[in-house]
Amino acid sequence: MTAPRTAVRAAAVFGAATALTIAGAGAAMATTADTATEGNTVSVTFTLDGGGLADGDACGALLAPTSTATTLAGQLASATDSNLLATLQAISDAPGVELLKSSTLNSPVVLLGTFADIGLASATVSATVDSNVYALVTYCASDDAPKVNPFLIVGNPLEAIMGSVSSGSEGDLLGTASAMLGGGGEGGGLGLDTLSAAGGTEN
């Protein structure tokens, strides 16, 4: 009877930790986001830093054209752990957006929760996309703002560059670069603060 009782206890503890995550409590600790590309598959692994008795977070990631990344990141900035899923689903309707999803639940949002070292401290989301240069936007409810990697090459480098040139011909690449690197003009780009945060995302 010991094993079943232990399993039930562990499930109850994890449920409590998940409830903390959904309620927005226990999210004081930061969550790291590590990106990996293999062929045309992009993966982001979110990991709780831990350190508290109860830690929790809700996280998601998406690929988007560089020209729209700051706008989408701005929309994510207002999301909370309780409406992150709805926000991501709404954003996914924008042209060229690809949500990264977990392989287990096929969900664009991962809920991390631990209580006294029991629970889910790490989870991975991924997507397989065409060769291109993308902006990768990651966000956790514990973040002050989304983090943006504005130039992520995915797949065959030559095909990626050609794809970027093709899609760039439909937009204003100079305006996009100015908005992302210079803090944005009217309408509010995320600017240097976001890119600085993005630089600390990759470990």
Side-chain angles (χ1 to χ4, degrees):
M1 297 295 292
T2 302
R5 188 177 297 115
T6 301
V8 169
R9 186 180 298 115
V13 170
F14 176 64
T18 302
L20 284 175
T21 301
I22 295 174
M29 302 305 296
T31 300
T32 60
D34 296 313
T35 304
T37 57
E38 183 175 352
N40 286 71
T41 299
V42 179
S43 300
V44 176
T45 299
F46 295 102
T47 305
L48 288 172
D49 277 355
L53 176 64
D55 297 304
D57 216 342
C59 302
L62 61 89
L63 293 168
T66 300
S67 59
T68 60
T70 53
T71 299
L72 299 177
Q75 294 176 25
L76 270 179
S78 62
T80 63
D81 49 1
S82 61
N83 70 359
L84 181 56
L85 178 60
T87 302
L88 282 169
Q89 289 175 332
I91 287 175
S92 68
D93 291 334
V97 172
E98 184 74 36
L99 300 182
L100 278 65
K101 298 181 179 181
S102 64
S103 59
T104 51
L105 299 176
N106 195 37
S107 171
V109 174
V110 292
L111 294 178
L112 305 177
T114 61
F115 185 83
D117 295 328
I118 300 175
L120 186 66
S122 180
T124 300
V125 292
S126 63
T128 300
V129 295
D130 293 336
S131 297
N132 210 328
V133 179
Y134 297 88
L136 174 66
V137 182
T138 61
Y139 179 70
C140 290
S142 62
D143 292 338
D144 292 331
K147 297 175 178 64
V148 180
N149 177 348
F151 304 111
L152 180 67
I153 296 176
V154 180
N156 181 284
L158 181 58
E159 292 179 0
I161 293 172
M162 293 304 295
S164 177
V165 170
S166 175
S167 60
S169 66
E170 301 173 4
D172 179 8
L173 290 183
L174 290 178
T176 298
S178 174
M180 298 194 75
L181 297 176
E186 185 177 354
L190 295 185
L192 288 176
D193 291 340
T194 298
L195 296 184
S196 175
T201 304
E202 307 299 325
N203 295 332

